[in-house]
Amino acid sequence: MAKPVLYSYFRSSCSWRVRIALALKGIEYETSAVNLLKGDQLGDQYSGTNPMQQVPTLDIDGVRLTQSLAILEYLEETRPDAPILPKDPAKRAVVRQVSEVIASGIQPIQNLSVLKYVGDEKKAEWGNYWIDKGFQSLEKILETTAGKYCVGDEVSMADLCIVPQVYNANRFKVDMSKFPIITRINDTLSKLDAFVQSHPSKQPDCPDDLRQ
């Protein structure tokens, strides 16, 4: 069977979520880089791959999937080892809740297409404001759900969402001292192998000056 192909941009938080899951589950794959800054996603070739002109797209098992959370759910259902969703239905719902707070409630407001529309003059202020506002709510939610990680003491889909979002927060100079729970969880997760190897600085399309 052909190796899965992940269409990805090194700094895309949505792509990063999927890279973490692939690493956690030990799934080998090939990367097809889509340079969002150069507009690769807008060309006819990639538009045919993903009509939303976004990353990630994952070709796996003869299926082409888009939207990061849908991809994560598919990987969990087809490859349940190293689970990213708890068995308990209530805990699964909480994991999905935290994931959606980030993936639907925070990240889309500061993604590249929105920032381009806002314009260079205001994009830094815009990104800072909306991530800060979202993190205020997320911090309150985590007060009741968090253990070692976002939901209890096992790595879950929510954790795959939070680390890329903190990376974005730092890019937009959000004052993370206001969010001690988010910061603690991010610091703990960032030491795990799957999170280290999926980091933007480790990706084949990362510019040399950003590599670590």
Side-chain angles (χ1 to χ4, degrees):
M1 184 176 292
K3 189 179 289 188
V5 176
L6 178 65
Y7 296 83
S8 173
Y9 178 60
F10 79 104
R11 207 159 56 186
S12 157
S13 55
C14 300
S15 299
W16 190 353
R17 297 167 195 156
V18 175
R19 294 198 302 262
I20 299 169
L22 292 168
L24 281 170
K25 292 179 176 293
I27 303 169
E28 294 186 3
Y29 66 96
E30 296 177 357
T31 297
S32 180
V34 181
N35 192 319
L36 302 184
L37 294 183
K38 292 183 177 179
D40 290 355
Q41 74 278 18
L42 305 177
D44 290 342
Q45 182 174 355
Y46 189 71
S47 294
T49 301
N50 185 333
M52 282 293 288
Q53 301 176 329
Q54 298 171 341
V55 291
T57 300
L58 181 66
D59 286 347
I60 187 169
D61 302 335
V63 181
R64 175 163 288 169
L65 300 170
T66 68
Q67 301 301 317
S68 62
L69 296 194
I71 294 171
L72 296 182
E73 294 269 6
Y74 177 82
L75 294 176
E76 180 71 357
E77 290 173 4
T78 59
R79 293 156 175 86
D81 289 344
I84 56 173
L85 284 170
K87 291 183 179 179
D88 178 74
K91 287 184 178 178
R92 289 171 79 93
V94 172
V95 167
R96 290 182 170 118
Q97 169 193 319
V98 176
S99 301
E100 288 287 1
V101 166
I102 299 167
S104 300
I106 301 175
Q107 188 273 333
I109 309 174
Q110 44 86 153
N111 71 10
L112 182 61
S113 60
V114 173
L115 294 176
K116 282 186 174 180
Y117 186 83
V118 171
D120 289 342
E121 185 177 334
K122 293 187 176 181
K123 68 180 182 181
E125 177 187 356
W126 176 277
N128 179 288
Y129 174 82
W130 287 109
I131 297 173
D132 185 283
K133 188 175 187 299
F135 273 11
Q136 291 176 41
S137 301
L138 179 60
E139 184 81 5
K140 291 178 182 177
I141 293 169
L142 294 176
E143 287 176 1
T144 63
T145 68
K148 187 176 182 180
Y149 303 118
C150 283
V151 181
D153 297 325
E154 302 295 330
V155 173
S156 72
M157 185 165 68
D159 299 300
L160 278 57
C161 294
I162 200 169
V163 168
Q165 192 57 56
V166 172
Y167 179 88
N168 284 345
N170 289 327
R171 285 181 60 215
F172 285 101
K173 297 181 171 52
V174 172
D175 179 5
M176 291 303 297
S177 68
K178 295 158 55 177
F179 310 112
I181 301 174
I182 295 173
T183 297
R184 174 183 61 76
I185 292 169
N186 178 72
D187 290 347
T188 303
L189 290 165
S190 295
K191 297 178 178 122
L192 302 180
D193 286 345
F195 289 79
V196 172
Q197 70 185 71
S198 61
H199 191 276
S201 65
K202 306 291 187 184
Q203 302 316 303
D205 59 325
C206 178
D208 289 340
D209 62 327
L210 296 178
R211 291 189 175 275
Q212 296 178 0

